[in-house]
Amino acid sequence: MFEQSISYQEKKGYPVWRNYDRNAIIKDIENKNQYKVVINSKTAIVFSVCYADKIIWRDFDKEDSIYLHRIVVNPELKGQKLFGKILDWAISHCRQKGLNSIRMDTWAANPTIIEYYKTFGFTIIENYTTPDSTELPVHNRNLALTLLEYKADGQ
């Protein structure tokens, strides 16, 4: 599904993951941090979560948030606002764990996806370029990002 999504994004002229780190995905699966939404027996969307993201969020990270990463939509199911299903789950998950917010990052060079996330209530925190750190998956190094946040606690 990652390859299909990359192909779709390339055709649309959007930024894409180059040399995405398959090992990061495998690690997410092994650590039970990879989730999927299934619709009519078809995987519709996959995503990863973590509970700390010090490299990208730096001083903003107070360990009171859930971080969404590597969101990939099945290209056959685009246009259905499937991200809403992730957000509903993430809001509930935050409340269960006593967390305040849902955070994510996306390409700063893709205003379309940034505006899409804003329609769900996310606000822009800042633009940030990631370091060339071995602590980050290869596809996240030296990457210009927009950091987004959704206040799950209603504040």
Side-chain angles (χ1 to χ4, degrees):
M1 206 160 80
F2 276 80
E3 297 297 334
Q4 289 175 324
S5 183
I6 289 169
S7 177
Y8 174 88
Q9 291 170 341
E10 283 177 328
K11 287 177 188 169
K12 294 289 187 176
Y14 297 134
V16 297
W17 288 311
R18 296 281 176 220
N19 305 315
Y20 70 90
D21 189 343
R22 291 175 188 258
N23 289 329
I25 297 163
I26 291 168
K27 186 177 175 183
D28 284 342
I29 293 167
E30 289 172 349
N31 292 333
K32 300 190 186 311
N33 290 327
Q34 176 82 19
Y35 295 85
K36 66 181 177 180
V37 174
V38 177
I39 298 174
N40 296 327
S41 302
K42 185 177 282 196
T43 299
I45 192 167
V46 296
F47 63 101
S48 297
V49 299
C50 64
Y51 301 94
D53 196 348
K54 295 277 186 204
I55 296 171
I56 293 175
W57 284 81
R58 304 159 329 274
D59 291 340
F60 292 108
D61 186 347
K62 307 285 188 221
E63 298 184 11
D64 61 350
S65 302
I66 183 175
Y67 296 87
L68 302 176
H69 288 288
R70 292 179 279 286
I71 299 168
V72 178
V73 176
N74 183 333
E76 295 175 28
L77 301 172
K78 288 269 188 195
Q80 298 182 35
K81 289 205 160 217
L82 293 173
F83 179 74
K85 295 193 179 298
I86 293 174
L87 184 57
D88 290 345
W89 174 86
I91 291 168
S92 175
H93 191 69
C94 276
R95 290 181 179 149
Q96 289 172 359
K97 291 196 166 285
L99 302 173
N100 298 327
S101 61
I102 301 159
R103 292 179 172 164
M104 57 190 305
D105 58 73
T106 193
W107 290 280
N110 189 342
T112 302
I113 195 72
I114 293 166
E115 289 304 314
Y116 175 74
Y117 291 133
K118 286 170 65 177
T119 67
F120 288 96
F122 279 81
T123 58
I124 295 173
I125 300 301
E126 72 170 356
N127 289 322
Y128 174 69
T129 300
T130 61
D132 185 16
S133 170
T134 57
E135 294 179 68
L136 287 171
V138 173
H139 61 265
N140 281 75
R141 298 176 192 168
N142 297 310
L143 190 61
L145 299 173
T146 296
L147 306 184
L148 301 156
E149 181 177 59
Y150 179 95
K151 291 291 189 183
D153 61 4
Q155 295 180 10

